[in-house]
Amino acid sequence: MIDMNEIVAFNVRRQLRLSGKKQGELVAVLKEPKRNILRMLSGAQELPLPVLKKISHFCNSSIDSFFLEPEQSSSIHEAFMGQVSSSEGKKSLDIVRQLSDIYLFHSQYQTAEFSNLVNKNWNE
């Protein structure tokens, strides 16, 4: 399970990347020791509100954007496949997508209630 420090750190890194800023520039603006900034950006140390306010001004964003939970990947295979450039790789990725969709679809109906209903109707 991901904690709030990791969510805030992820969103700060994302805002830095979106605004085209570097961590070295952030260290210079915050006037904090580099090791503390790196611990904060990794989620190991809490980011205090005054520091978040300075970061939001530095990135030209709102403080609220740092507390949004990142979206989870909708499918399992997307997290592991990466980028595919060859035609054979794309075909394989499509097969994996179809198989995972079939598996997820059927796993929804493998509940005990559904099995009892099917068995009851099958035996009649």
Side-chain angles (χ1 to χ4, degrees):
M1 181 172 166
I2 196 165
D3 69 346
M4 200 63 196
N5 290 340
E6 292 176 0
I7 291 172
V8 171
F10 172 80
N11 288 327
V12 168
R13 289 191 312 266
R14 184 174 52 86
Q15 285 296 330
L16 284 172
R17 189 176 43 240
L18 291 174
S19 63
K21 310 285 184 171
K22 303 289 182 192
Q23 287 183 5
E25 297 170 358
L26 182 64
V27 170
V29 168
L30 294 179
K31 297 176 183 148
E32 295 268 339
K34 186 176 181 178
R35 112 180 137 258
N36 289 354
I37 301 295
L38 293 177
R39 286 179 50 84
M40 289 177 196
L41 293 179
S42 70
Q45 184 176 337
E46 183 179 347
L47 278 152
L49 193 56
V51 172
L52 280 175
K53 188 174 180 181
K54 289 179 185 178
I55 294 171
S56 69
H57 287 299
F58 179 67
C59 294
N60 296 324
S61 64
S62 69
I63 292 179
D64 295 336
S65 65
F66 297 138
F67 295 100
L68 299 174
E69 191 169 347
E71 295 179 12
Q72 298 294 325
S73 179
S74 61
S75 55
I76 298 167
H77 55 79
E78 292 294 329
F80 300 108
M81 289 302 293
Q83 190 175 37
V84 178
S85 57
S86 68
S87 63
E88 292 86 12
K90 289 179 183 179
K91 288 178 186 175
S92 298
L93 183 61
D94 287 338
I95 291 170
V96 169
R97 283 185 182 138
Q98 290 173 355
L99 288 174
S100 66
D101 289 342
I102 290 169
Y103 175 78
L104 292 173
F105 175 77
H106 287 289
S107 67
Q108 291 176 345
Y109 296 104
Q110 295 302 317
T111 63
E113 180 181 329
F114 180 77
S115 297
N116 290 338
L117 179 67
V118 168
N119 288 337
K120 178 182 170 188
N121 290 336
W122 185 264
N123 291 331
E124 290 180 353

